[in-house]
Amino acid sequence: MNATPAIRDEGHPYQNAELPVGQRVEDLLARMTVEEKAGQLFHTMLAMKPDGSTVEKGDPGMLPMDTTHMVHGQYMTHFNLLGTGDPAAMARWQNTVQAMAAETRLGIPVTLSTDPRHAFTDNVGASFNAGAFSAWPEPLGLAALRDPRLVYEFADTVRREYLAVGFRVALHPQIDLASEPRWSRQNGTFGSDAELTSQLVRAYVRGLQGDRLGRQSVSAMVKHFPGGGPQKDGEDPHFPHGKEQIYPGGMRELHLEPFKAAIDAGCAQMMPYYGQPVGTDWEEVGFGFNKGVVQGLLREQLGFDGIVCTDWGLITDAEIFGETHPARAWGLETLPELEKAARVLEAGCDQFGGEARPELVVELVESGRISAQRLDASVRRVLREKFVLGLFDAPYVDPQQAAETVGRADFTEAGARAQRRSLTLLTNSGDTLPATGRPQLYVENVRADVAGRYGEVVAEPDQADLAVLRLRTPYEPRANKFESHFHSGRLAFTEDELKPVLDLLDAVPTVVCVNLERAAVIPEIAERAAVLIADYGASDDALLDVVFGRATPEGRLPFELPRSMAAVEASRPDVPNDTENPLFPYGAGLGVR
């Protein structure tokens, strides 16, 4: 392990691990300037170079970030790693950033966070694919198994792999209810059932944090309070046209149930969503600005006293993929940045996600717009968690141990088993499965080298005994580069997309596997496929093991599959499983005999 400097000002009471955390917090708080306090309220992205070094101002070919300035000039100590890399390099990067923080006047250590990175989705605005980490099904796949013990095992594995590289905050779990079939963020949820989601989030929080938050914990930032599922037309509030959240079915309380369970389980942090509630008794402003929702509901009614961090980018317009995106201050778009920042603090939030503007908080406090006491309340929460996590006493990690821990064989094997178990068999005409022997196999969107371990791969359907076709959930392409990562809109294939699929199904008995990141409208495929399987993130090996009877699919649908787009459009976005006469109901799934 690289040599690392000691934290400065050794001997001060706030660094004495024998003293109660509260006393250490108060001693440190008393020594901080307004500027140092303001820096604690910002939780933004940082990138690293492939070799584990930091990104600095003017580095060619890198995103415009200035790590040294954020740590030394803005006193920021909370960062979300953007992208991924070699585990040892990630560990070296975290040590470098911690060493930079140790050189500041007070030596406040950095808290590093991450979006989900243990599955198959790669969306810069939401998650990263597993890479070197163990690969599991998406949360929808965990929900398909309805097994809290498995969710605990998953979260405990995440905890151990995160600790190895220095991540101390998970920007998950996501426990919104998948009640609007078109909403693009469903693959990160536990599906449409509030009771199941409540059971699974309890296990998830315990797996990440343990029975209580401590030195071996990863802090769980649960999102998106008070439930992001009921989006009008299923559009996503990352974007102005998706900002409205509606409750025509009157099911607001149902969406709160998983968050109550998360609080009861002891989750350390909470993230409000971007959505702007419309037609309720809540103020029609985004939840991160919404005092009635954050202070009134979350803090006072539900008793949550942990850290509340806004979703990313509420204050400042941003350039993403070369395109300008407005700050997501829905309902308050015309306010100046200073007033937006004030509204976030007045709402009861502690941190600004995705922002690096501590000078706004300094100005608010120095002008008297925000009181010093209000600032201290948030800084106190943030510092307390750093002490409880043990960051002041042991901020560094071992790169060699990171390389040995991340993607460890037993973690990888557990994830692979979960992938196989989560697959959901929806139809099996004529007992096509399990396939036997070594048939002539025609495959599409399946690696030929993998398929070759199960059968003789042929070039044309008419040469095959059996075909295996993998499809993704249909979606509506969007011209905006950032929005193109959020698969939204229609759930049915166009005629041009559907024709080659149906031609294949008519030519040869075909196993169709549809990756469900959202519900899919596929009645024609369900009718004509020999076998229909749903997956939520699974390798080709996992799928073919099920096809050939080497593994048993145990999954059940975590939401219903609608019969038509007309049924989707007529359903109420806040009411789970609300489409008329669904093709497959919630919980559908067969077993292979």
Side-chain angles (χ1 to χ4, degrees), residues 239-268:
F239 312 101
H241 55 269
K243 63 186 177 182
E244 293 185 0
Q245 188 164 314
I246 57 176
Y247 296 87
M251 302 295 282
R252 194 169 77 180
E253 289 300 314
L254 183 71
H255 289 262
L256 286 174
E257 288 305 312
F259 295 93
K260 294 176 182 178
I263 293 169
D264 185 60
C267 72

Side-chain angles (χ1 to χ4, degrees), residues 139-146 190 196 422 424 536 554-558:
L140 280 176
L142 299 177
L145 289 168
R146 292 155 168 71
F190 290 128
L196 176 64
S422 69
T424 301
Y536 320 91
E554 302 176 36
R556 300 292 183 267
L557 283 179

Side-chain angles (χ1 to χ4, degrees), residues 8 35 78-79 85 103 124 137 153 165 294 339 373-374 467 523 534:
R8 287 185 173 227
E35 289 80 6
H78 293 80
F79 299 106
E103 293 168 352
V124 69
E153 179 187 8
V165 296
V294 177
E339 186 60 24
Q373 291 77 15
R374 171 65 191 87

